Amino acid sequence: MKKLIVVMLCAGTLFSCASKKDLEAALAKQQSTQELLDTASVKLNACLSDEKVAQAKLSALQSEIQNLRQSNASLLNNVGDLATLSKKDAEILETSLERIKEKDLQIKTLNDALTKKDSVTIALVTSIKSSLGNVNDEDINVNVEKGVVFISISDKLLFSSGSDQISSNASNVLGKVGTILRDKVNMDVMIEGHTDSQPIASGKFKDNWELSTARAASITRYLQENQDIDPARMTAAGRSFYVPIASNDTAEGRAKNRRTRIIILPKLDQFFDMIESGMEQAKLDAQKKN
């Protein structure tokens, strides 16, 4: 019995020792496992934190990409608008250039017409001066003003003082003028009467208006009846003393102012028809080039 008790005590002691070791081992393993768990938790929290940062970065990048896409789309739209605008501007510019070309051609046509007219005028002046070469330069003057030919004839070659009756001496001068006018059938003629500022002494005329107009009418009638100038080409006009070429304060000046001017000018309707025709042709030429 005593032996049994001793064996049991020894077995209990051994069991007690073994259980204590196992417990200590288990506790040590638990401690190690807990440390590993804590380390894993720390790493997990770190990973979770890193994930949040990454998610934030990703969200920021996605937002930036979206903004870039929107900016890109806006830029593309602007480029499209600019391309459209440039195309429209190009069309406007092209139209303007076409109009400029057309206007340049029209200006050239007009200049050509004016040059032609000037050439005719120069030739006319040369012809008139040649025809009237033996007439005193003080009594008759031929000049050009603004492209129009003027023949100014002193009244002492045409009329007596205060009279509208053409003198016998006038036939020589008017005959030569008539010859020139007959050769220039495409030109109109205006006859202007001019006086000085002295009051009219004759009872036939009320004032210088009537005298200057009557003298112009007498020259016009003479050219029609004696030189066969078409009356439809002629106009008679009185200017009184309101367009002087010298002072009326001296006898010499008044003598210069008493004159008849015969104005030879192209038929304006024909001249403008020529210009208009040239303008239309220039327009057609510009269209053909485009």
Side-chain angles (χ1 to χ4, degrees), residues 13-221:
T13 300
L14 292 171
F15 180 79
S16 175
C17 290
S19 298
K20 185 177 180 180
K21 288 181 180 178
D22 290 340
L23 179 60
E24 288 177 352
L27 290 173
K29 188 176 183 178
Q30 181 184 9
Q31 180 65 32
S32 176
T33 303
Q34 185 64 46
E35 288 176 357
L36 291 173
L37 178 62
D38 291 342
T39 301
S41 296
V42 170
K43 290 182 178 180
L44 176 61
N45 289 333
C47 289
L48 291 175
S49 177
D50 290 342
E51 182 184 11
K52 288 182 179 179
V53 172
Q55 287 289 346
K57 289 183 178 179
L58 177 61
S59 179
L61 288 172
Q62 289 176 337
S63 178
E64 185 176 352
I65 290 172
Q66 183 64 25
N67 290 335
L68 289 173
R69 285 177 177 173
Q70 291 177 352
S71 298
N72 188 42
S74 177
L75 287 173
L76 288 174
N77 289 334
N78 288 338
V79 169
D81 291 341
L82 288 174
T84 302
L85 181 61
S86 298
K87 184 178 180 181
K88 183 182 293 184
D89 287 342
E91 291 176 352
I92 293 174
L93 180 60
E94 184 177 356
T95 301
S96 298
L97 290 174
E98 289 176 359
R99 290 180 179 176
I100 290 172
K101 289 180 182 178
E102 180 183 329
K103 295 301 180 185
D104 284 341
L105 287 173
Q106 291 179 345
I107 290 172
K108 182 179 182 301
T109 300
L110 179 58
N111 285 332
D112 290 345
L114 291 173
T115 301
K116 181 179 179 181
K117 173 180 172 293
D118 290 341
S119 298
V120 172
T121 300
I122 293 172
L124 177 60
V125 170
T126 302
S127 175
I128 292 172
K129 288 186 175 181
S130 176
S131 299
L132 301 175
N134 60 345
V135 179
N136 192 330
D137 288 341
E138 294 181 357
D139 298 329
I140 187 167
N141 182 43
V142 180
N143 67 311
V144 178
E145 296 178 14
K146 298 180 181 180
V148 179
V149 179
F150 293 86
I151 305 173
S152 182
I153 307 172
S154 172
D155 273 7
K156 70 180 182 180
L157 293 179
L158 302 175
F159 304 101
S160 300
S161 179
S163 171
D164 64 335
Q165 298 298 315
I166 297 176
S167 65
S168 58
N169 297 329
S171 59
N172 181 36
V173 175
L174 293 180
K176 293 180 179 180
V177 171
T179 300
I180 296 167
L181 296 180
R182 280 197 304 273
D183 292 338
K184 308 298 178 183
V185 294
N186 60 333
M187 293 187 173
D188 287 332
V189 184
M190 176 177 286
I191 295 90
E192 288 185 346
H194 294 261
T195 67
D196 59 28
S197 61
Q198 296 297 306
I200 298 297
S202 171
K204 182 178 180 180
F205 304 106
K206 179 180 179 180
D207 52 26
N208 283 302
W209 276 117
E210 290 187 0
L211 176 59
S212 63
T213 303
R215 285 180 169 178
S218 295
I219 299 295
T220 302
R221 189 176 296 108

